[in-house]
Amino acid sequence: MRSVAALLLVGMLTAWMELPAGTAWSCPRIRVTCAIPNPPNKCDSSWQCPRHQKCCQGACGRRCFSRPPGIPTSHG
């Protein structure tokens, strides 16, 4: 069982190292804050967002943000 877990870990690390550079993006910087105390969140994690979107803190709660323009989705 230990060898299976170690093999999975090595596989995940290898896959992570092979990701193309420059495709990761960060959540946008918040410049305005919400006047509502404890605003509702539309997502809790990026798994709840459509493909190529990320769950980030917005001006009024967390919501799904699209990839900013100019950042490639894949290298071809």
Side-chain angles (χ1 to χ4, degrees):
M1 193 66 172
R2 247 187 204 171
S3 60
V4 172
L7 188 59
L8 282 172
L9 180 62
V10 169
M12 289 180 359
L13 287 173
T14 302
W16 177 75
M17 290 174 60
E18 291 178 2
L19 289 174
T23 58
W25 56 281
S26 301
C27 290
R29 185 177 302 172
I30 304 167
R31 297 181 182 181
V32 179
T33 55
C34 189
I36 302 170
N38 299 321
N41 293 323
K42 296 190 179 190
C43 61
D44 293 316
S45 73
S46 295
W47 290 101
Q48 296 171 326
C49 296
R51 189 174 184 187
H52 300 297
Q53 289 189 354
K54 188 182 276 193
C55 183
C56 299
Q57 183 65 40
C60 266
R62 296 182 65 80
R63 64 184 183 95
C64 296
F65 282 86
S66 294
R67 180 181 307 270
I71 297 178
T73 55
S74 65
H75 289 9

